[in-house]
Amino acid sequence: MNPNASSPSSTDESVQPQVVRLVERERPVLAFTLDGAPASAREGDTVLTAVLTMRRHLVEAATDGPCSGFCLMGACQECWVAVDRKPVRACSTLVTAGMHVATRRHVIGG
Amino acid sequence: MADPSIVIVGAGPAGIRAADALARHQLRTVLIDEAPKGGGQIYRQPPDAFQRPYSARYGFEAAKARAIHRTMERLASTVDYRPSTLAWNVWNRQLDVLCAGRPDRVPFDFLVIATGATDRVLPLPGWTLPGVYTLGGAQIALKYQGCAIGHRIVLLGTGPLLYLVAYQYAKAGACIAAVLDTSTAAAKRRALSGLAARPRTLAKGLYYRAWLAAHGVGVEEGVEPGSIAGTGAVSQVSYRRKGAEKTIQCDAVGLGFGLRSETQLADLAGCRFRFDADSRQWLPECNTDGESSASGIYLAGDGAGIEGADAAELWGERVGLAIAARCGRPRDSARIAAIDRQLARLARFRAGLERAFPFPAQHVSALSADTILCRCESIRVGEASAAIRDFKVGEMNRMKAITRVGMGRCQGRMCGLVAAELLAAQTRQDIAAVGRLRGQPPVKPMPMPWSSPP
């Protein structure tokens, strides 16, 4: 799967992903799983970057509405997701091959 | 007799220089850092897979970044370096830390708190939509991940970072639709005498502005923030300037109005705080050696008050030298005097920056009732105002207890300063009179369960 392609989502009308790769775009590709579906990232991507190069939101609409992270430095605490069933901050966690990322809040209990 | 145990929290420019100064006096430190690599935020090192040269990553700061990273490399084998480790509590002269799910306790005789800063933000209607980031976050996306936060970006706020991020982004090929500065050209002119304390830094700022103009990136000053709108994610920003309402289509916003210090550990350590009128923030008190009111606990860098990366390096070295003298090493008076002279000049520059790019506190009272104030708990300005009125709230911790503002995961990092401005304005008190949020451990949410310690 092209890591820069977007996946359509029911929560937003735009088909373009949020984040744009500007430089060093040709790093090795890593395959991982996002919300049960195959996905790919580039080596060195954080989970946040990887997800946002595919869609416009990180966490799907729950009680607070969709969100895409905010501070990118581990301060705002808005990017908590589950990686291999453990809660992590997406902005501070690098993608590794084969990881399972779950972003739906009712699944991670956030 | 063994040397005292010296612990440093934060491996940014301040923490690294403190460790270095102590190492030069043969004093070993424990250097704890939340990140996997040293450098803090300003000199943050990207993951290994990124290979572009320093000049591309750090621009004019490349030499400083390289020097800091080389120092860190040199220190890594002589200090007890604990990367990817969160110091989440301090009490009884011990730090509670967590690394990869394993808790530990680190006792100290001397502690250096060098925890840095985050962006200071102003809420707008729609600011919680996907696609809105802090200016610092926008910079990290580029520096750390080689990415832009969107396809068509509006940068809104004030401060030197606004212009730096615009320049870095546009230079890297991102589309900056507009740079909207709430501060006026007049405010900057009035600040020139203070800014002239650092002519090279001032020149850099002027260079960024000139570059943006030459490359067709629109910059507007004296802007009044309006709102951010979109369905499911950002699609436009509205603002007012010279009486006219304007709207810009975009898919991302970088929002930032200067920085705020990360003071949670200083608070838990029992340091006394004072209100800093220039920056409108509560900061831990320090003497000229950088020592807090708690004996043996020192503060350095932006975590003690926003003064920038160069001041952070100097303060780090300064506290390192002060602690070395307390440990029986000869006090390096000449070097200390030289540092103090440079710090005085930096303080004058800092005062100039606050005059040139003031936090637009006047906009807080004008926030619409449906604007979200507390992002974590989704509490709107109107709800908070009603509770302040109905419960006769006059102080920050009571405001938190009654409204939940500041009670969420970020523990008031994003909302605390604006909540104070709101409370002060509504109750017609001086901003200092409403106090500050009391800290609680852990300083950040931590995943559970933990594995048991070794």
Side-chain angles (χ1 to χ4, degrees), chain A residues 46 48-49 70-75 91-92, chain B residues 40-47 50 52 117-119 133-149 161 165 168-169:
Chain A
T46 59
L48 181 66
T49 297
F70 187 57
C71 77
L72 269 66
M73 61 173 77
C91 73
S92 320
Chain B
Q41 298 306 330
I42 180 155
Y43 303 130
R44 187 161 170 176
Q45 300 187 66
F50 290 88
R52 68 193 187 282
T118 71
D119 295 82
Y133 296 92
T134 60
L135 274 179
Q139 190 182 54
I140 284 166
L142 181 56
K143 188 182 329 195
Y144 186 65
Q145 296 282 277
C147 292
I149 54 169
L161 193 58
V165 174
Q168 289 173 332
Y169 262 56

Side-chain angles (χ1 to χ4, degrees), chain A residues 16-102:
Chain A
Q16 276 190 323
Q18 183 63 52
V19 154
V20 178
R21 296 185 190 281
L22 286 183
V23 295
E24 298 200 72
R25 289 179 281 203
E26 301 307 317
R27 289 165 283 129
V29 172
L30 297 173
F32 71 105
T33 304
L34 175 61
D35 295 330
S40 67
R42 299 272 176 185
E43 194 180 321
D45 281 354
T46 59
V47 172
L48 181 66
T49 297
V51 174
L52 292 178
T53 53
M54 289 185 280
R55 64 193 198 201
R56 287 207 70 185
H57 62 278
L58 174 72
V59 175
E60 299 223 4
T63 53
D64 302 333
C67 91
S68 64
F70 187 57
C71 77
L72 269 66
M73 61 173 77
C76 72
Q77 313 302 324
E78 294 189 20
C79 66
W80 285 89
V81 295
V83 165
D84 299 330
R85 303 173 71 78
K86 295 202 188 83
V88 301
R89 280 194 308 253
C91 73
S92 320
T93 306
L94 295 183
V95 176
T96 56
M99 78 172 16
H100 287 76
V101 178

Side-chain angles (χ1 to χ4, degrees), chain B residues 396-420:
Chain B
M396 282 302 293
N397 292 285
R398 186 147 162 79
M399 180 183 182
K400 173 182 167 187
I402 286 172
T403 65
R404 297 188 60 81
V405 169
M407 212 179 268
R409 287 195 199 97
C410 90
Q411 295 157 291
R413 283 177 174 84
M414 299 294 115
C415 65
L417 293 182
V418 173

Side-chain angles (χ1 to χ4, degrees), chain B residues 97-170:
Chain B
V97 302
L98 184 72
C99 177
R102 289 208 321 279
D104 197 4
R105 217 159 249 175
V106 183
F108 60 86
D109 296 303
F110 293 100
L111 175 66
V112 177
I113 300 176
T115 43
T118 71
D119 295 82
R120 184 167 48 180
V121 292
L122 184 75
L124 300 185
W127 72 308
T128 57
L129 280 167
V132 181
Y133 296 92
T134 60
L135 274 179
Q139 190 182 54
I140 284 166
L142 181 56
K143 188 182 329 195
Y144 186 65
Q145 296 282 277
C147 292
I149 54 169
H151 295 77
R152 192 174 151 76
I153 302 156
V154 170
L155 301 179
L156 167 60
T158 196
L161 193 58
L162 180 65
Y163 294 91
L164 176 59
V165 174
Y167 164 78
Q168 289 173 332
Y169 262 56

